[in-house]
Amino acid sequence: MAVSFLNLGRLHQEIRPALDQAYKRVMDSGWFITGPEVQAFESEFATFSGVKHCVGVGNGLDALVLLLRAYGIGPGDEVLVPSNTFIATWLAVSQCGATPVPVEPDPQTHNMDPAGLEAAVTPRTKAVIAVDLFGQMAPIEQVMEAAQGCPVIEDAAQSIGASRVIDGARVMAGQAAAIGTFSFFPSKNLGGYGDGGMMVTQDDALFETLMKLRTHGSRRTYYHEIVGYNSRLDSLQAAVLSAKLPHLKAWSAARRRNAAYYDAAFADIGEITAPYIDAANESIYNQYTIRVSARDALQAHLKALGIGNAIYYPLPLHLQPCFAHLGSREGAFPESERAAREVLSLPVFPELRPGQLDEVIDAVRSFFGR
Ligand SMILES: *Cc1c(COP(=O)(O)O)cnc(C)c1O
């Protein structure tokens, strides 16, 4: 029997009545862009993430672009970014006319290595984007120290609801750096039924700028103070996200249970490196990503057995054609290149049934002859 990598339909069934109500509310209100639904969700998300301000935008990439713009980042500026991340992190820098400068990950957590970051800071460095990859937070407090006063933006698209203990206190993703971004792309742990994103900040002045940037540079209709964008969360997405948010903790806990079940089942297979979660972190397992040297053969084996899987990411960003102008070559970022050869993500979504977890496990174990 096949096991899909992700099954958004199953989740949909569970909360069908709340979703039906949300749709109806929006249709009846006749208010489709920003408005009360968006304000309500922004306020719920601010409470959830422990931040003062939330600004809903069109997608996670725009959230990064608008934040960089708010800091005045443009041509001639460098922004330090992880070498191993989803492309949106780099695209945001390029879209501002600035240059993404890659920093290698800690091979265990896949997150930005603070020592490498410290070494990469130059007088042209104007900001750092730290990504919380696969569901666990980057060591934000160490990143901020290594950034030597440059603003640090936490790209928490993959880690909605993750947390980290910093100086004895539990801090939520988006809260630690005081400036963060999220994505509500359907496959994120809190996904809309379309695109969506969020900027979060503790800073009142920055909040005012972000509100203008998302709406044509204006706070008061038809009066435009800055050259802005049009990137807003729509009411329908906000209503769906409000219906889903109360369930997010339970869904994350289910993902952690699935991950622990895999960890135990693979513990005796030396060829598999299971995900490593920093002791200070609670992961929300946006991905359950193992490392295997025979990755391509394992993937072919799983495919033949109908077991869903995915590679995040098959080609490192410095080798992507769209970044050829940055002049990087093979071998420049070996940790990212090695990750691209070795990583494989297995199904970990909350609605997986116990029998399906066992099917995935049997398929993986059979590849290694166990
Ligand atoms: C998903 C994601 C984003 C934003 O993606 P959008 O599709 O633009 O919402 C940004 N950064 C990372 C690391 C992501 O995984």
Short mmCIF file of all heavy atoms in Angstrom, two decimals, residues 58-62 64 85-89 131-133 155-158 181-185 187-188 195-197 286 313, ligand 1:
data_model
loop_
_atom_site.label_atom_id
_atom_site.label_comp_id
_atom_site.label_asym_id
_atom_site.label_seq_id
_atom_site.Cartn_x
_atom_site.Cartn_y
_atom_site.Cartn_z
N GLY A 58 1.38 38.77 1.41
CA GLY A 58 0.96 37.84 0.37
C GLY A 58 1.63 36.47 0.41
O GLY A 58 1.04 35.48 0.00
N ASN A 59 2.87 36.41 0.90
CA ASN A 59 3.61 35.14 0.96
C ASN A 59 4.87 35.33 1.80
O ASN A 59 5.19 36.47 2.19
CB ASN A 59 3.96 34.65 -0.46
CG ASN A 59 4.72 35.70 -1.25
OD1 ASN A 59 5.87 36.01 -0.95
ND2 ASN A 59 4.06 36.31 -2.24
N GLY A 60 5.57 34.26 2.04
CA GLY A 60 6.77 34.31 2.89
C GLY A 60 7.93 35.04 2.24
O GLY A 60 8.73 35.68 2.93
N LEU A 61 8.04 34.96 0.92
CA LEU A 61 9.11 35.69 0.22
C LEU A 61 8.90 37.19 0.38
O LEU A 61 9.84 37.93 0.73
CB LEU A 61 9.12 35.29 -1.27
CG LEU A 61 9.99 36.12 -2.21
CD1 LEU A 61 11.45 36.12 -1.78
CD2 LEU A 61 9.88 35.60 -3.64
N ASP A 62 7.69 37.65 0.15
CA ASP A 62 7.41 39.09 0.31
C ASP A 62 7.68 39.55 1.74
O ASP A 62 8.14 40.67 1.96
CB ASP A 62 5.94 39.40 -0.03
CG ASP A 62 5.70 39.45 -1.53
OD1 ASP A 62 6.67 39.32 -2.30
OD2 ASP A 62 4.53 39.62 -1.93
N LEU A 64 9.99 38.65 3.70
CA LEU A 64 11.43 38.92 3.80
C LEU A 64 11.81 40.18 3.02
O LEU A 64 12.57 41.02 3.50
CB LEU A 64 12.23 37.72 3.26
CG LEU A 64 12.24 36.47 4.14
CD1 LEU A 64 12.74 35.27 3.36
CD2 LEU A 64 13.11 36.69 5.38
N THR A 85 19.24 26.49 2.32
CA THR A 85 17.90 26.95 2.68
C THR A 85 17.02 26.88 1.45
O THR A 85 17.49 26.60 0.35
CB THR A 85 17.92 28.39 3.24
OG1 THR A 85 16.57 28.84 3.48
CG2 THR A 85 18.57 29.37 2.27
N PHE A 86 15.73 27.15 1.63
CA PHE A 86 14.84 27.30 0.48
C PHE A 86 15.20 28.60 -0.23
O PHE A 86 15.62 29.58 0.40
CB PHE A 86 13.38 27.31 0.95
CG PHE A 86 12.40 27.51 -0.18
CD1 PHE A 86 12.38 26.64 -1.26
CD2 PHE A 86 11.52 28.58 -0.17
CE1 PHE A 86 11.48 26.83 -2.31
CE2 PHE A 86 10.62 28.77 -1.21
CZ PHE A 86 10.60 27.90 -2.28
N ILE A 87 15.01 28.62 -1.52
CA ILE A 87 15.50 29.72 -2.36
C ILE A 87 14.93 31.09 -1.98
O ILE A 87 15.56 32.13 -2.21
CB ILE A 87 15.27 29.42 -3.85
CG1 ILE A 87 16.09 30.38 -4.72
CG2 ILE A 87 13.79 29.46 -4.20
CD1 ILE A 87 16.23 29.97 -6.15
N ALA A 88 13.74 31.12 -1.35
CA ALA A 88 13.12 32.41 -1.03
C ALA A 88 14.04 33.29 -0.18
O ALA A 88 14.06 34.51 -0.33
CB ALA A 88 11.79 32.19 -0.30
N THR A 89 14.82 32.68 0.71
CA THR A 89 15.72 33.44 1.58
C THR A 89 16.71 34.27 0.74
O THR A 89 16.96 35.43 1.03
CB THR A 89 16.49 32.49 2.51
OG1 THR A 89 15.60 31.51 3.04
CG2 THR A 89 17.14 33.24 3.65
N VAL A 131 17.73 31.13 9.18
CA VAL A 131 16.56 30.30 8.85
C VAL A 131 16.42 29.19 9.88
O VAL A 131 17.41 28.57 10.28
CB VAL A 131 16.71 29.70 7.43
CG1 VAL A 131 15.55 28.77 7.11
CG2 VAL A 131 16.81 30.81 6.39
N ASP A 132 15.21 28.95 10.32
CA ASP A 132 14.91 27.83 11.22
C ASP A 132 14.52 26.65 10.33
O ASP A 132 13.34 26.47 10.00
CB ASP A 132 13.73 28.17 12.15
CG ASP A 132 14.01 29.40 13.02
OD1 ASP A 132 15.18 29.70 13.30
OD2 ASP A 132 13.02 30.04 13.45
N LEU A 133 15.52 25.86 9.94
CA LEU A 133 15.26 24.86 8.90
C LEU A 133 14.61 23.58 9.45
O LEU A 133 14.98 23.11 10.52
CB LEU A 133 16.58 24.52 8.18
CG LEU A 133 16.43 24.06 6.74
CD1 LEU A 133 15.95 25.18 5.83
CD2 LEU A 133 17.74 23.48 6.21
N ASP A 155 13.96 33.87 9.62
CA ASP A 155 13.05 33.29 8.63
C ASP A 155 12.52 31.99 9.23
O ASP A 155 13.18 30.95 9.18
CB ASP A 155 13.82 33.05 7.32
CG ASP A 155 12.97 32.34 6.26
OD1 ASP A 155 11.86 31.88 6.57
OD2 ASP A 155 13.46 32.24 5.11
N ALA A 156 11.33 32.09 9.82
CA ALA A 156 10.75 30.95 10.55
C ALA A 156 9.67 30.25 9.74
O ALA A 156 8.78 29.59 10.30
CB ALA A 156 10.22 31.43 11.90
N ALA A 157 9.74 30.38 8.40
CA ALA A 157 8.71 29.79 7.52
C ALA A 157 8.48 28.31 7.83
O ALA A 157 7.35 27.83 7.77
CB ALA A 157 9.12 29.96 6.07
N GLN A 158 9.55 27.59 8.15
CA GLN A 158 9.42 26.14 8.36
C GLN A 158 9.24 25.78 9.84
O GLN A 158 9.23 24.59 10.16
CB GLN A 158 10.67 25.42 7.81
CG GLN A 158 10.86 25.64 6.32
CD GLN A 158 11.99 24.81 5.73
OE1 GLN A 158 12.55 23.94 6.38
NE2 GLN A 158 12.32 25.07 4.47
N THR A 181 9.87 36.30 10.05
CA THR A 181 8.92 36.10 8.96
C THR A 181 8.40 34.66 8.98
O THR A 181 9.10 33.75 9.42
CB THR A 181 9.57 36.35 7.58
OG1 THR A 181 10.63 35.41 7.40
CG2 THR A 181 10.11 37.76 7.47
N PHE A 182 7.18 34.51 8.49
CA PHE A 182 6.56 33.19 8.38
C PHE A 182 5.93 33.06 7.00
O PHE A 182 5.64 34.06 6.34
CB PHE A 182 5.46 33.03 9.44
CG PHE A 182 5.98 32.98 10.85
CD1 PHE A 182 6.14 34.15 11.58
CD2 PHE A 182 6.32 31.78 11.43
CE1 PHE A 182 6.63 34.12 12.88
CE2 PHE A 182 6.82 31.72 12.73
CZ PHE A 182 6.96 32.90 13.46
N SER A 183 5.70 31.81 6.61
CA SER A 183 4.97 31.54 5.38
C SER A 183 3.81 30.62 5.71
O SER A 183 3.94 29.72 6.54
CB SER A 183 5.90 30.85 4.37
OG SER A 183 5.14 30.24 3.34
N PHE A 184 2.68 30.84 5.04
CA PHE A 184 1.53 29.95 5.21
C PHE A 184 1.26 29.19 3.93
O PHE A 184 0.11 28.82 3.63
CB PHE A 184 0.30 30.75 5.66
CG PHE A 184 0.55 31.57 6.89
CD1 PHE A 184 0.44 32.95 6.87
CD2 PHE A 184 0.93 30.96 8.08
CE1 PHE A 184 0.69 33.71 8.00
CE2 PHE A 184 1.19 31.70 9.22
CZ PHE A 184 1.07 33.09 9.18
N PHE A 185 2.31 28.96 3.13
CA PHE A 185 2.20 28.07 1.97
C PHE A 185 1.56 26.76 2.47
O PHE A 185 1.84 26.33 3.59
CB PHE A 185 3.60 27.84 1.39
CG PHE A 185 3.59 27.01 0.14
CD1 PHE A 185 3.20 27.56 -1.07
CD2 PHE A 185 3.97 25.67 0.17
CE1 PHE A 185 3.17 26.78 -2.22
CE2 PHE A 185 3.94 24.89 -0.97
CZ PHE A 185 3.54 25.46 -2.17
N SER A 187 2.00 23.67 2.43
CA SER A 187 2.77 22.56 3.03
C SER A 187 3.51 22.97 4.30
O SER A 187 4.16 22.14 4.93
CB SER A 187 3.76 21.99 2.02
OG SER A 187 4.76 22.95 1.76
N LYS A 188 3.41 24.23 4.71
CA LYS A 188 4.02 24.60 6.00
C LYS A 188 3.13 24.03 7.11
O LYS A 188 1.97 23.67 6.87
CB LYS A 188 4.12 26.13 6.14
CG LYS A 188 4.77 26.81 4.96
CD LYS A 188 6.23 26.48 4.78
CE LYS A 188 6.80 27.32 3.63
NZ LYS A 188 8.16 26.98 3.27
N ASP A 195 -1.60 31.21 -1.02
CA ASP A 195 -0.38 31.80 -0.47
C ASP A 195 -0.69 32.72 0.70
O ASP A 195 -1.79 33.29 0.79
CB ASP A 195 0.34 32.61 -1.56
CG ASP A 195 1.24 31.75 -2.43
OD1 ASP A 195 2.00 30.94 -1.87
OD2 ASP A 195 1.19 31.89 -3.67
N GLY A 196 0.29 32.89 1.57
CA GLY A 196 0.15 33.84 2.68
C GLY A 196 1.47 33.93 3.41
O GLY A 196 2.31 33.02 3.32
N GLY A 197 1.68 35.03 4.11
CA GLY A 197 2.91 35.19 4.89
C GLY A 197 2.69 36.17 6.02
O GLY A 197 1.63 36.81 6.11
N ASN A 286 8.72 20.18 10.63
CA ASN A 286 8.17 20.46 9.30
C ASN A 286 8.65 19.35 8.35
O ASN A 286 7.93 18.93 7.45
CB ASN A 286 8.61 21.83 8.81
CG ASN A 286 8.05 22.17 7.44
OD1 ASN A 286 8.80 22.43 6.50
ND2 ASN A 286 6.74 22.15 7.31
N TYR A 313 17.49 20.00 -0.12
CA TYR A 313 17.18 20.43 -1.45
C TYR A 313 18.16 19.76 -2.40
O TYR A 313 19.33 19.62 -2.03
CB TYR A 313 17.29 21.96 -1.53
CG TYR A 313 16.26 22.60 -0.59
CD1 TYR A 313 16.62 22.94 0.70
CD2 TYR A 313 14.94 22.79 -1.02
CE1 TYR A 313 15.66 23.49 1.56
CE2 TYR A 313 14.00 23.35 -0.16
CZ TYR A 313 14.37 23.69 1.13
OH TYR A 313 13.44 24.21 1.99
C1 LIG B 1 8.52 28.41 2.44
C2 LIG B 1 9.68 29.23 2.77
C3 LIG B 1 9.70 30.61 2.56
C4 LIG B 1 8.58 31.40 1.93
O1 LIG B 1 8.00 30.77 0.87
P1 LIG B 1 6.71 31.36 0.12
O2 LIG B 1 6.37 30.26 -0.81
O3 LIG B 1 7.13 32.62 -0.55
O4 LIG B 1 5.64 31.62 1.14
C5 LIG B 1 10.81 31.32 2.98
N1 LIG B 1 11.85 30.70 3.55
C6 LIG B 1 11.88 29.37 3.78
C7 LIG B 1 13.05 28.76 4.46
C8 LIG B 1 10.79 28.58 3.38
O5 LIG B 1 10.83 27.26 3.60
#
